[in-house]
Amino acid sequence: MSLSHQQKVYIPKAVRNNQYITAEIKVTDALLAHYPDYKTCYKALSRTIFKLASQQELYNVHVITNDKLPVVRYHSEAYCFPTAEQIIFFYNPEYHEAQGLHTQDDYRARKIRIVCLATGEDIRSNSASFHLKVQSFLAALMPQMPEDELTIKVRDHQHLSYDLFAKAKGNKETYGYKLRSISDRYKARSCPLPDDHGSLCYVTVKLPLSRKLKQAILPEQSDDFSPLYKKIQDAFVQATLAKKLHRVAMVANGRTPLVRNSKFDQLEGTDEVQMLGFDPNIDDPQFLCHWNGKRLVEMVSFTIAAGVKDSKDGGLGLYLNRVEDALRSLAVELALDKTRDDLIVRFHQHISYSTSKQLINK
């Protein structure tokens, strides 16, 4: 098999594409000094944000001023579900447009988050164009902000989501992706990024704990679920090590995994979010495991992070093919039924950087 063919990964045509970009602005005393109270500040800024976003053809934009974490997923209908710590947006990029202010009275946010959801068709092909629109929007927004010294943290999130067992369920059509890093794709489309931007690439996988799986492993009427988690953990570690995937995590504590670069980000978990930190620059094995044998959850989440070398010279296709091979081995070990069980693979690519009034003025 040629190297060019190996660098491609064949994904079901029913794959879901998502892209959203967040812009984070710290709430400072200097910013709030221009307004009589928090509520007035958030409403005034949101009106300016929505107006400028529309001028840049950004049609699905949300402003979050209650410090909740945005989570974006595809759905045929548009929903917004707030929890104590998160705001989960479900939408179809082809059809859904919205403007929303998500706030809390008498609450001083640590940061204002602007969430721009990509809309239209061919989300991945048009990702650079969407990023350019957001850059133009931020360039127009910063002079409108009352602070003289203003820095905005930009994060670009892109996902491909699909069922690993789609072919066994009759969805046999696939499309060959020659995956490239975001920076390479953007460079080819004249979308500039700062030289010091950060990047992270990883795969998350959701494994529902079905009745069949639990009955096959757990003894009857047991309050100790450790044998179930230990069996899954051992199978996962064995499968990933066999494919030389050394940055992996298993989470089965009911929390939402949030992946960060451990070299740069401080990692603190919360009641709802399980922070996972990987350093893509080192080759030493990094295995993270979070589960409690006294608590049975509905879903196990796996994370497999790519290294710096995986993102170079067409390596992402090779990386994702290795991930899929490892997951197929895991499925065999756990006796999953490909015609009935789902194993949803979500391929993540993220970049992040900071921009400021000073940089824009240059």
Side-chain angles (χ1 to χ4, degrees), residues 272-283:
E272 294 187 12
V273 175
Q274 182 64 62
M275 300 297 295
L276 300 175
F278 299 100
D279 187 342
N281 296 286
I282 62 176
D283 295 326

Side-chain angles (χ1 to χ4, degrees), residues 290-308:
H290 300 277
W291 53 262
N292 184 343
K294 297 184 181 300
R295 181 185 179 189
L296 180 62
V297 297
E298 296 180 355
M299 187 88 65
V300 174
S301 176
F302 303 111
T303 302
I304 305 171
V308 170

Side-chain angles (χ1 to χ4, degrees), residues 22-25 138 141-142 150-154 353-356:
T22 62
E24 299 176 356
I25 303 170
L138 294 177
L141 173 64
M142 279 192 272
L150 176 71
T151 298
I152 298 179
K153 180 76 170 184
V154 180
Y353 59 89
S354 295
T355 187
S356 64

Side-chain angles (χ1 to χ4, degrees), residues 145-209:
M145 300 293 290
E147 284 185 290
D148 292 330
E149 295 184 5
L150 176 71
T151 298
I152 298 179
K153 180 76 170 184
V154 180
R155 300 180 191 270
D156 189 332
H157 307 255
Q158 299 178 30
H159 311 153
L160 292 173
S161 308
Y162 59 96
D163 181 6
L164 186 67
F165 302 149
K167 186 176 293 186
K169 296 183 177 73
N171 301 315
K172 300 185 183 299
E173 287 189 283
T174 62
Y175 181 84
Y177 283 81
K178 188 174 183 180
L179 300 175
R180 293 186 295 165
S181 67
I182 291 178
S183 58
D184 287 343
R185 286 190 280 129
Y186 282 13
K187 183 177 181 181
R189 290 170 172 78
S190 301
C191 177
L193 294 174
D195 292 337
D196 60 348
H197 71 272
S199 64
L200 196 60
C201 178
Y202 59 94
V203 168
T204 58
V205 185
K206 302 293 188 183
L207 172 67
L209 293 181

